[in-house]
Amino acid sequence: MTIRDSATGQRTTLLRVTTATWLLLVSAVVLVDHMALSGLAEQAQASAPTAQVSLLESRLEGLSHRIEQRHTQPAALPQARYEQDTAALDQRLAAIELAQAQYAATDALHALETRVTRLEARPVSRQPKLPAPRPSQSVAAQPKPVEPSFRLIGVELRAGEHFVSVMPADGTGLADVRLLRAGESEGGWRLDGIERDGAVFRQGDEIRRLPIPPR
């Protein structure tokens, strides 16, 4: 019985020592964690004001920039001031136009008066009346001699017979040339005869000799 009681006492003592050791280790771990968490909290509290200050500084810079831009921009003209200045300008323009019109009318009137004065100052000259022209006796117009409406181009001999080639006055090419023998007519003129240096044409009592142009 004594040996069993001694062994049981040793086991109980060993268990208590082991439990106390574990409790110490757990307490040490908890203490270390608590200290680490406290350090992190202090760091977070220290860094929070710094971030807020940076944010406020950036916003302050933006406001300063906007204020500077406002100062550099020209001040807007109020609507009432604009309408007042516009009305005054319109009145001045109307007055200037009226004055110019009056000056122009005055200058024109002065020029007209000057011309009238000069005309009145001229001496009146009496000119003798010219006799009325006598009606001229009508002279009988002589009829203009009628001329052929064609011209002589030349004389040709074909098959032992003489022909004359004529072209209208407004002809331009060989297509307008026509051959005439004695007795044929062109433009109301009849070919009476062919001579060495020309041709004789007759129209009623009128006779024309057309010379052959030199070649």
Side-chain angles (χ1 to χ4, degrees), residues 171-194:
T172 57
L174 295 177
D176 298 325
V177 177
R178 183 184 175 189
L179 294 177
L180 299 178
R181 63 161 60 97
E184 294 181 346
S185 300
E186 173 67 21
W189 291 85
R190 183 172 58 86
L191 179 60
D192 270 0
I194 300 174

PDB file of all heavy atoms in Angstrom, residues 171-194:
ATOM      1  N   GLY A 171     -19.950  83.299-152.522  1.00  0.00           N
ATOM      2  CA  GLY A 171     -19.411  81.950-152.631  1.00  0.00           C
ATOM      3  C   GLY A 171     -18.024  81.858-152.035  1.00  0.00           C
ATOM      4  O   GLY A 171     -17.259  82.820-152.011  1.00  0.00           O
ATOM      5  N   THR A 172     -17.691  80.637-151.587  1.00  0.00           N
ATOM      6  CA  THR A 172     -16.400  80.446-150.918  1.00  0.00           C
ATOM      7  C   THR A 172     -15.581  79.300-151.486  1.00  0.00           C
ATOM      8  O   THR A 172     -14.398  79.180-151.163  1.00  0.00           O
ATOM      9  CB  THR A 172     -16.626  80.171-149.415  1.00  0.00           C
ATOM     10  OG1 THR A 172     -17.478  79.028-149.269  1.00  0.00           O
ATOM     11  CG2 THR A 172     -17.273  81.365-148.723  1.00  0.00           C
ATOM     12  N   GLY A 173     -16.173  78.427-152.325  1.00  0.00           N
ATOM     13  CA  GLY A 173     -15.431  77.258-152.792  1.00  0.00           C
ATOM     14  C   GLY A 173     -15.850  76.828-154.184  1.00  0.00           C
ATOM     15  O   GLY A 173     -16.716  77.423-154.830  1.00  0.00           O
ATOM     16  N   LEU A 174     -15.193  75.746-154.651  1.00  0.00           N
ATOM     17  CA  LEU A 174     -15.486  75.243-155.987  1.00  0.00           C
ATOM     18  C   LEU A 174     -16.909  74.726-156.112  1.00  0.00           C
ATOM     19  O   LEU A 174     -17.461  74.683-157.217  1.00  0.00           O
ATOM     20  CB  LEU A 174     -14.500  74.120-156.330  1.00  0.00           C
ATOM     21  CG  LEU A 174     -13.025  74.543-156.452  1.00  0.00           C
ATOM     22  CD1 LEU A 174     -12.155  73.320-156.730  1.00  0.00           C
ATOM     23  CD2 LEU A 174     -12.857  75.566-157.588  1.00  0.00           C
ATOM     24  N   ALA A 175     -17.523  74.353-154.992  1.00  0.00           N
ATOM     25  CA  ALA A 175     -18.893  73.847-155.051  1.00  0.00           C
ATOM     26  C   ALA A 175     -19.866  74.929-155.497  1.00  0.00           C
ATOM     27  O   ALA A 175     -20.972  74.625-155.979  1.00  0.00           O
ATOM     28  CB  ALA A 175     -19.307  73.292-153.691  1.00  0.00           C
ATOM     29  N   ASP A 176     -19.479  76.198-155.352  1.00  0.00           N
ATOM     30  CA  ASP A 176     -20.373  77.298-155.734  1.00  0.00           C
ATOM     31  C   ASP A 176     -20.152  77.757-157.180  1.00  0.00           C
ATOM     32  O   ASP A 176     -20.875  78.635-157.661  1.00  0.00           O
ATOM     33  CB  ASP A 176     -20.153  78.494-154.785  1.00  0.00           C
ATOM     34  CG  ASP A 176     -20.486  78.130-153.345  1.00  0.00           C
ATOM     35  OD1 ASP A 176     -21.414  77.337-153.145  1.00  0.00           O
ATOM     36  OD2 ASP A 176     -19.811  78.658-152.429  1.00  0.00           O
ATOM     37  N   VAL A 177     -19.159  77.206-157.870  1.00  0.00           N
ATOM     38  CA  VAL A 177     -18.851  77.630-159.254  1.00  0.00           C
ATOM     39  C   VAL A 177     -19.846  76.981-160.230  1.00  0.00           C
ATOM     40  O   VAL A 177     -20.189  75.795-160.093  1.00  0.00           O
ATOM     41  CB  VAL A 177     -17.405  77.250-159.626  1.00  0.00           C
ATOM     42  CG1 VAL A 177     -17.111  77.613-161.079  1.00  0.00           C
ATOM     43  CG2 VAL A 177     -16.424  77.960-158.687  1.00  0.00           C
ATOM     44  N   ARG A 178     -20.279  77.754-161.214  1.00  0.00           N
ATOM     45  CA  ARG A 178     -21.210  77.256-162.238  1.00  0.00           C
ATOM     46  C   ARG A 178     -20.693  77.630-163.622  1.00  0.00           C
ATOM     47  O   ARG A 178     -20.166  78.729-163.822  1.00  0.00           O
ATOM     48  CB  ARG A 178     -22.604  77.848-162.040  1.00  0.00           C
ATOM     49  CG  ARG A 178     -23.617  77.312-163.032  1.00  0.00           C
ATOM     50  CD  ARG A 178     -24.952  77.976-162.873  1.00  0.00           C
ATOM     51  NE  ARG A 178     -25.884  77.532-163.909  1.00  0.00           N
ATOM     52  CZ  ARG A 178     -27.073  78.076-164.118  1.00  0.00           C
ATOM     53  NH1 ARG A 178     -27.476  79.116-163.386  1.00  0.00           N
ATOM     54  NH2 ARG A 178     -27.858  77.609-165.068  1.00  0.00           N
ATOM     55  N   LEU A 179     -20.847  76.711-164.585  1.00  0.00           N
ATOM     56  CA  LEU A 179     -20.421  76.946-165.974  1.00  0.00           C
ATOM     57  C   LEU A 179     -21.620  77.399-166.806  1.00  0.00           C
ATOM     58  O   LEU A 179     -22.707  76.827-166.730  1.00  0.00           O
ATOM     59  CB  LEU A 179     -19.826  75.676-166.574  1.00  0.00           C
ATOM     60  CG  LEU A 179     -18.507  75.180-165.953  1.00  0.00           C
ATOM     61  CD1 LEU A 179     -18.082  73.874-166.594  1.00  0.00           C
ATOM     62  CD2 LEU A 179     -17.415  76.221-166.079  1.00  0.00           C
ATOM     63  N   LEU A 180     -21.401  78.466-167.601  1.00  0.00           N
ATOM     64  CA  LEU A 180     -22.464  79.014-168.462  1.00  0.00           C
ATOM     65  C   LEU A 180     -21.961  79.053-169.901  1.00  0.00           C
ATOM     66  O   LEU A 180     -20.806  79.413-170.169  1.00  0.00           O
ATOM     67  CB  LEU A 180     -22.847  80.433-168.019  1.00  0.00           C
ATOM     68  CG  LEU A 180     -23.408  80.616-166.599  1.00  0.00           C
ATOM     69  CD1 LEU A 180     -23.676  82.101-166.326  1.00  0.00           C
ATOM     70  CD2 LEU A 180     -24.692  79.812-166.422  1.00  0.00           C
ATOM     71  N   ARG A 181     -22.851  78.661-170.817  1.00  0.00           N
ATOM     72  CA  ARG A 181     -22.594  78.883-172.243  1.00  0.00           C
ATOM     73  C   ARG A 181     -23.455  80.037-172.709  1.00  0.00           C
ATOM     74  O   ARG A 181     -24.346  80.492-171.993  1.00  0.00           O
ATOM     75  CB  ARG A 181     -22.886  77.615-173.041  1.00  0.00           C
ATOM     76  CG  ARG A 181     -24.337  77.178-172.984  1.00  0.00           C
ATOM     77  CD  ARG A 181     -24.652  76.224-174.130  1.00  0.00           C
ATOM     78  NE  ARG A 181     -23.821  75.047-174.074  1.00  0.00           N
ATOM     79  CZ  ARG A 181     -24.179  73.878-173.532  1.00  0.00           C
ATOM     80  NH1 ARG A 181     -25.367  73.773-172.929  1.00  0.00           N
ATOM     81  NH2 ARG A 181     -23.388  72.840-173.561  1.00  0.00           N
ATOM     82  N   ALA A 182     -23.190  80.539-173.900  1.00  0.00           N
ATOM     83  CA  ALA A 182     -23.948  81.671-174.440  1.00  0.00           C
ATOM     84  C   ALA A 182     -25.432  81.335-174.491  1.00  0.00           C
ATOM     85  O   ALA A 182     -25.828  80.249-174.927  1.00  0.00           O
ATOM     86  CB  ALA A 182     -23.439  82.035-175.833  1.00  0.00           C
ATOM     87  N   GLY A 183     -26.255  82.271-173.962  1.00  0.00           N
ATOM     88  CA  GLY A 183     -27.699  82.080-173.938  1.00  0.00           C
ATOM     89  C   GLY A 183     -28.230  81.639-172.583  1.00  0.00           C
ATOM     90  O   GLY A 183     -29.441  81.727-172.329  1.00  0.00           O
ATOM     91  N   GLU A 184     -27.374  81.154-171.688  1.00  0.00           N
ATOM     92  CA  GLU A 184     -27.810  80.747-170.350  1.00  0.00           C
ATOM     93  C   GLU A 184     -27.744  81.948-169.395  1.00  0.00           C
ATOM     94  O   GLU A 184     -27.017  82.928-169.641  1.00  0.00           O
ATOM     95  CB  GLU A 184     -26.939  79.595-169.838  1.00  0.00           C
ATOM     96  CG  GLU A 184     -27.121  78.320-170.654  1.00  0.00           C
ATOM     97  CD  GLU A 184     -26.292  77.173-170.144  1.00  0.00           C
ATOM     98  OE1 GLU A 184     -25.373  77.431-169.326  1.00  0.00           O
ATOM     99  OE2 GLU A 184     -26.539  76.019-170.543  1.00  0.00           O
ATOM    100  N   SER A 185     -28.505  81.829-168.303  1.00  0.00           N
ATOM    101  CA  SER A 185     -28.645  82.952-167.368  1.00  0.00           C
ATOM    102  C   SER A 185     -28.186  82.531-165.971  1.00  0.00           C
ATOM    103  O   SER A 185     -28.227  81.353-165.593  1.00  0.00           O
ATOM    104  CB  SER A 185     -30.105  83.435-167.316  1.00  0.00           C
ATOM    105  OG  SER A 185     -30.530  83.869-168.594  1.00  0.00           O
ATOM    106  N   GLU A 186     -27.817  83.547-165.202  1.00  0.00           N
ATOM    107  CA  GLU A 186     -27.414  83.382-163.799  1.00  0.00           C
ATOM    108  C   GLU A 186     -27.826  84.632-163.046  1.00  0.00           C
ATOM    109  O   GLU A 186     -27.389  85.748-163.368  1.00  0.00           O
ATOM    110  CB  GLU A 186     -25.903  83.173-163.685  1.00  0.00           C
ATOM    111  CG  GLU A 186     -25.380  83.165-162.263  1.00  0.00           C
ATOM    112  CD  GLU A 186     -25.866  81.962-161.469  1.00  0.00           C
ATOM    113  OE1 GLU A 186     -26.270  80.940-162.084  1.00  0.00           O
ATOM    114  OE2 GLU A 186     -25.854  82.027-160.226  1.00  0.00           O
ATOM    115  N   GLY A 187     -28.696  84.471-162.044  1.00  0.00           N
ATOM    116  CA  GLY A 187     -29.138  85.598-161.230  1.00  0.00           C
ATOM    117  C   GLY A 187     -29.881  86.639-162.040  1.00  0.00           C
ATOM    118  O   GLY A 187     -29.787  87.830-161.713  1.00  0.00           O
ATOM    119  N   GLY A 188     -30.622  86.256-163.077  1.00  0.00           N
ATOM    120  CA  GLY A 188     -31.368  87.217-163.890  1.00  0.00           C
ATOM    121  C   GLY A 188     -30.562  87.838-165.013  1.00  0.00           C
ATOM    122  O   GLY A 188     -31.101  88.636-165.798  1.00  0.00           O
ATOM    123  N   TRP A 189     -29.287  87.495-165.119  1.00  0.00           N
ATOM    124  CA  TRP A 189     -28.422  88.030-166.178  1.00  0.00           C
ATOM    125  C   TRP A 189     -28.133  86.908-167.181  1.00  0.00           C
ATOM    126  O   TRP A 189     -27.688  85.841-166.811  1.00  0.00           O
ATOM    127  CB  TRP A 189     -27.109  88.555-165.595  1.00  0.00           C
ATOM    128  CG  TRP A 189     -27.293  89.806-164.756  1.00  0.00           C
ATOM    129  CD1 TRP A 189     -27.630  89.854-163.453  1.00  0.00           C
ATOM    130  CD2 TRP A 189     -27.146  91.139-165.213  1.00  0.00           C
ATOM    131  NE1 TRP A 189     -27.713  91.140-163.021  1.00  0.00           N
ATOM    132  CE2 TRP A 189     -27.417  91.975-164.085  1.00  0.00           C
ATOM    133  CE3 TRP A 189     -26.833  91.738-166.426  1.00  0.00           C
ATOM    134  CZ2 TRP A 189     -27.373  93.353-164.164  1.00  0.00           C
ATOM    135  CZ3 TRP A 189     -26.771  93.126-166.504  1.00  0.00           C
ATOM    136  CH2 TRP A 189     -27.054  93.934-165.373  1.00  0.00           C
ATOM    137  N   ARG A 190     -28.379  87.242-168.472  1.00  0.00           N
ATOM    138  CA  ARG A 190     -28.171  86.273-169.550  1.00  0.00           C
ATOM    139  C   ARG A 190     -26.833  86.535-170.223  1.00  0.00           C
ATOM    140  O   ARG A 190     -26.462  87.685-170.480  1.00  0.00           O
ATOM    141  CB  ARG A 190     -29.293  86.368-170.584  1.00  0.00           C
ATOM    142  CG  ARG A 190     -29.194  85.342-171.729  1.00  0.00           C
ATOM    143  CD  ARG A 190     -30.448  85.379-172.581  1.00  0.00           C
ATOM    144  NE  ARG A 190     -30.668  86.693-173.132  1.00  0.00           N
ATOM    145  CZ  ARG A 190     -30.117  87.131-174.280  1.00  0.00           C
ATOM    146  NH1 ARG A 190     -29.340  86.338-174.969  1.00  0.00           N
ATOM    147  NH2 ARG A 190     -30.365  88.342-174.725  1.00  0.00           N
ATOM    148  N   LEU A 191     -26.094  85.438-170.461  1.00  0.00           N
ATOM    149  CA  LEU A 191     -24.798  85.545-171.128  1.00  0.00           C
ATOM    150  C   LEU A 191     -25.026  85.757-172.620  1.00  0.00           C
ATOM    151  O   LEU A 191     -25.510  84.869-173.316  1.00  0.00           O
ATOM    152  CB  LEU A 191     -23.964  84.276-170.887  1.00  0.00           C
ATOM    153  CG  LEU A 191     -22.580  84.221-171.549  1.00  0.00           C
ATOM    154  CD1 LEU A 191     -21.683  85.359-171.074  1.00  0.00           C
ATOM    155  CD2 LEU A 191     -21.910  82.869-171.269  1.00  0.00           C
ATOM    156  N   ASP A 192     -24.637  86.970-173.095  1.00  0.00           N
ATOM    157  CA  ASP A 192     -24.826  87.296-174.517  1.00  0.00           C
ATOM    158  C   ASP A 192     -23.664  86.807-175.362  1.00  0.00           C
ATOM    159  O   ASP A 192     -23.857  86.338-176.491  1.00  0.00           O
ATOM    160  CB  ASP A 192     -24.983  88.810-174.698  1.00  0.00           C
ATOM    161  CG  ASP A 192     -26.450  89.219-174.595  1.00  0.00           C
ATOM    162  OD1 ASP A 192     -27.302  88.324-174.383  1.00  0.00           O
ATOM    163  OD2 ASP A 192     -26.745  90.421-174.686  1.00  0.00           O
ATOM    164  N   GLY A 193     -22.459  86.947-174.858  1.00  0.00           N
ATOM    165  CA  GLY A 193     -21.324  86.538-175.665  1.00  0.00           C
ATOM    166  C   GLY A 193     -20.072  86.459-174.832  1.00  0.00           C
ATOM    167  O   GLY A 193     -19.989  87.005-173.727  1.00  0.00           O
ATOM    168  N   ILE A 194     -19.081  85.733-175.390  1.00  0.00           N
ATOM    169  CA  ILE A 194     -17.806  85.555-174.718  1.00  0.00           C
ATOM    170  C   ILE A 194     -16.744  86.194-175.583  1.00  0.00           C
ATOM    171  O   ILE A 194     -16.610  85.877-176.786  1.00  0.00           O
ATOM    172  CB  ILE A 194     -17.510  84.060-174.495  1.00  0.00           C
ATOM    173  CG1 ILE A 194     -18.613  83.420-173.638  1.00  0.00           C
ATOM    174  CG2 ILE A 194     -16.161  83.879-173.828  1.00  0.00           C
ATOM    175  CD1 ILE A 194     -18.470  81.927-173.495  1.00  0.00           C
TER     176      ILE A 194
END
